[in-house]
Amino acid sequence: APEDHVQSKIFDMQAFKEMKKIGVMGFENKTYAPFANAIASEIVTGQAYSEMRSTSYAVISPTEMNEMIYRMKIVTTPSDKKQKSQKDRKEPSASPAEPEVSKLPFTSKDMDGVLVGAVTKFIDSYVDERGEIQKSISSGVEFGAYLISTKNGNVVWGARYISTQPVNLMDTLKGDNRSWLDKEELSRQGMKKVMQVFYDTRGQKQETTPLAGKQ
């Protein structure tokens, strides 16, 4: 049967329980050749946001988070005081003025935490004996998710999901592919399991929350 596994750990239980408003950032795409997938992170990010919206948390979408980051301004013009000082000396500036970067566009006033992550596997194909990529009825998904505190930048919670669907030869010969999920559905179920651990942990005292099971 298809197997899946979730590993989860709490790094700061108190901060974790105090989380009420969370922003979801776009997950990084770290899928690699020959099975790189250009939209893997987009799909998994959407699934994470969808799962979080179904709870009592106040959730900020990836689109809104990107807009907040876009509004971060970089000031490259030197101050009036510095300009006047250089003019009085009648000396040209040795180098362009160092940019003054404003603070990050989101703080603890905007939200309590930021959910970030990375997708490392998102496949439903294999390489045959001739070195060619072929479509497979089995899928494989791997991703990690981390909750970062906006108060101090520390990781509060983290989880990793790994799922593979080994091909059953007898089922394949019988043409019974009903138990096999495509990569998008497999990642959706995986995200549901990760988020379930996330929510369940709020009512637990232990610092580590491992979960293993079968679909």
Side-chain angles (χ1 to χ4, degrees):
E3 298 181 357
D4 65 289
H5 187 65
V6 178
Q7 293 177 316
S8 172
K9 184 174 182 179
I10 288 290
F11 298 96
D12 187 334
M13 177 60 80
Q14 184 61 37
F16 182 77
K17 288 188 173 183
E18 292 175 353
M19 294 284 170
K20 295 180 180 179
K21 188 174 184 180
I22 297 174
V24 179
M25 290 292 296
F27 281 30
E28 289 187 64
N29 190 337
K30 294 189 175 183
T31 57
Y32 49 88
F35 304 114
N37 188 295
I39 62 173
S41 58
E42 180 181 339
I43 291 173
V44 176
T45 298
Q47 292 168 346
Y49 175 59
S50 178
E51 288 300 315
M52 296 211 74
R53 283 190 65 193
S54 64
T55 70
S56 59
Y57 285 100
V59 184
I60 301 175
S61 73
T63 300
E64 292 175 287
M65 294 292 284
N66 286 337
E67 291 175 351
M68 293 175 75
I69 292 176
Y70 181 76
R71 289 198 295 268
M72 180 174 64
K73 297 180 180 180
I74 299 178
V75 181
T76 57
T77 304
S79 65
D80 292 339
K81 184 177 180 181
K82 182 180 290 186
Q83 287 179 324
K84 183 177 181 180
S85 176
Q86 291 177 350
K87 185 177 181 180
D88 291 341
R89 292 197 307 267
K90 297 182 180 181
E91 296 177 358
S93 176
S95 60
E98 294 183 8
E100 298 177 5
V101 183
S102 64
K103 294 181 179 180
L104 289 176
F106 44 81
T107 66
S108 57
K109 293 182 179 180
D110 301 309
M111 65 201 77
D112 303 307
V114 179
L115 185 72
V116 300
V119 184
T120 52
K121 182 181 289 186
F122 197 76
I123 63 173
D124 56 4
S125 55
Y126 69 97
V127 178
D128 64 18
E129 64 276 5
R130 293 174 297 181
E132 298 179 356
I133 298 177
Q134 303 291 346
K135 181 74 174 179
S136 174
I137 62 171
S138 65
S139 303
V141 172
E142 291 183 10
F143 62 81
Y146 302 90
L147 183 63
I148 312 298
S149 169
T150 55
K151 184 180 296 184
N152 52 29
N154 294 336
V155 177
V156 173
W157 168 88
R160 185 185 182 198
Y161 178 74
I162 301 175
S163 181
T164 56
Q165 293 184 296
V167 176
N168 185 305
L169 180 58
M170 293 305 297
D171 285 346
T172 301
L173 293 175
K174 293 177 183 178
D176 183 6
N177 301 333
R178 292 172 297 176
S179 62
W180 305 108
L181 306 174
D182 62 32
K183 54 193 176 185
E184 186 168 346
E185 183 58 35
L186 186 62
S187 64
R188 180 178 294 107
Q189 290 200 9
M191 186 59 71
K192 287 182 179 292
K193 292 177 182 293
V194 168
M195 289 294 106
Q196 187 60 56
V197 174
F198 180 88
Y199 307 137
D200 290 348
T201 304
R202 288 179 66 86
Q204 298 177 355
K205 295 182 180 180
Q206 62 265 40
E207 295 185 354
T208 305
T209 309
L211 174 67
K214 294 180 181 292
Q215 293 179 341

